[in-house]
Amino acid sequence: MGLLASPVTRLGVVLALAACEPLLPSAPDDAEVLDGPIEGLTSAQLAVFGEGDAEFNRTFAASEGAGPMFVASACGSCHVGDGKGHPVFNLTRFGRMVDGAFDPMRALGGPQVQNRAVQQYVAEVVPNGASGVAVFAAPAVTGLGLLEAVDDTTLLNLADPDDLDADGISGRVQLLDEEDLIVEVTSLNAVADESGPTRGVPIAGKYIGRFGKKGVTVNLLHQTVTAYHQDMGLTSDLVIEDLFNRQVGTFASDDVADPEVGSSTVSAVVFYLKTLRPPPRRNADAPDVLAGEALFGTLGCAACHRPVLRTGASAIGPLHQVELHPYTDLLLHDMGAELDDGYTEGIALTSEWRTAPLWGVGLAGSSQGGRMHLLHDGRAAGFREAIDLHGGEASASRAGFRALGPGEQAQLLRFLESL
């Protein structure tokens, strides 16, 4: 009422706000953020996207079923702004070799450590006897719907397990038995939504994996319910049992009825992940970026980090038969002793890793506290260090980068910064 009555007071308020303006940060440029829906969604689809966004960033309390052991209590804790995760929320997985086969030690709570716990429970640590221990940094989640929509046949055609073209690159498709999957595959493929065909159709009794550091999940539904279960201790219709608690030798229990996350919530989060836009490029036409891109191809980096893929059929219009630029082939490649930590999943060797998509990597630091943490475990503090740890099939490309002059190396790094 005083503001309405006093022009002097109104002027004072205006001047005070003006004085504060330099202290208020401006909104980030659209090319500097990862979050946002893919273009072309209908209004109804945008509504579901918004619902999934809210659920993705929802923090679960113990009274809602989180835990009793867990890694994080919200999806958004590990994927801040939908970007790469900070090491504080790294995942630890373990196992051991038994008679030449890798045992994920499920009877001892494997393969993942839940390093936090609610009251009256003890957080897990890696048990004695584990011979392989891997640390996984949370990946960015943008553009995943496009990667899911790439046909299985495309990945099979890209694979060259015996290196028949003699280029030193022998990418393999990750093939999973039902025992490799936490969920029942029949249930996984029975779930239908408006997104169209579900990737995960068996090939000779095996299932092609495309998500995760070792490619151990077949589609985004599988990825989502597994993350709810293993990372947050939440049950769903597809993973109905609580986490195994090795301290008491049985499954953990709480007072919350299962499933703790309903199918509508799971569907909304899956749709959100399917329809997050691909990461934006920056300065793509700059001369030094273009020169670096050419070097990226000349050095053979693009043999694994493929610049172009194409999606197959999808009921979501923006995902249907479109070109994408993810800089991955979604295949397993041997990265040599430098990145061999003795742990594996599916048919992957302990030194094999699924090619990480490079799109959005130039924005990694913005979601990781201002500093990059690259590679599967976040050990590399920048592009140079990441390149230096690329052995195995990438050895020739690494040697080629080392042989470049300072100017050409800077151009290639400038290209990576633009992704």
Side-chain angles (χ1 to χ4, degrees), residues 272-343:
Y272 172 71
L273 294 174
K274 285 177 183 286
T275 52
L276 275 167
R277 69 176 184 165
R281 287 290 304 273
R282 297 156 312 287
N283 306 313
D285 296 326
D288 54 345
V289 171
L290 293 173
E293 185 173 12
L295 288 168
F296 188 82
T298 300
L299 295 178
C301 307
C304 300
H305 294 285
R306 289 185 175 266
V308 181
L309 293 176
R310 190 169 182 82
T311 68
S314 175
I316 301 175
L319 305 181
H320 179 69
Q321 295 182 348
V322 296
E323 184 176 282
L324 59 150
H325 304 274
Y327 294 90
T328 180
D329 58 6
L330 298 174
L331 300 178
L332 299 172
H333 292 277
D334 191 335
M335 299 303 294
E338 294 95 329
L339 297 179
D340 186 346
D341 49 24
Y343 175 81

Side-chain angles (χ1 to χ4, degrees), residues 180-336:
D180 295 316
L181 312 175
I182 293 176
V183 309
E184 294 184 10
V185 179
T186 52
S187 299
L188 184 67
N189 285 331
V191 175
D193 59 25
E194 65 173 7
S195 63
T198 300
R199 299 299 182 262
V201 177
I203 297 174
K206 304 268 188 181
Y207 298 83
I208 289 182
R210 67 179 65 205
F211 295 117
K213 306 297 183 180
K214 296 275 189 179
V216 79
T217 51
V218 301
N219 55 29
L220 291 175
L221 175 61
H222 185 197
Q223 179 71 28
T224 299
V225 296
T226 301
Y228 268 131
H229 188 251
Q230 293 288 301
D231 303 349
M232 300 167 67
L234 292 164
T235 58
S236 63
D237 286 331
L238 296 184
V239 189
I240 200 66
E241 288 185 319
D242 284 299
L243 289 166
F244 187 83
N245 182 359
R246 68 170 177 265
Q247 277 86 16
V248 297
T250 186
F251 291 96
S253 61
D254 52 37
D255 296 328
V256 182
D258 298 316
E260 294 157 337
V261 180
S263 58
S264 61
T265 296
V266 170
S267 294
V269 171
V270 170
F271 188 84
Y272 172 71
L273 294 174
K274 285 177 183 286
T275 52
L276 275 167
R277 69 176 184 165
R281 287 290 304 273
R282 297 156 312 287
N283 306 313
D285 296 326
D288 54 345
V289 171
L290 293 173
E293 185 173 12
L295 288 168
F296 188 82
T298 300
L299 295 178
C301 307
C304 300
H305 294 285
R306 289 185 175 266
V308 181
L309 293 176
R310 190 169 182 82
T311 68
S314 175
I316 301 175
L319 305 181
H320 179 69
Q321 295 182 348
V322 296
E323 184 176 282
L324 59 150
H325 304 274
Y327 294 90
T328 180
D329 58 6
L330 298 174
L331 300 178
L332 299 172
H333 292 277
D334 191 335
M335 299 303 294

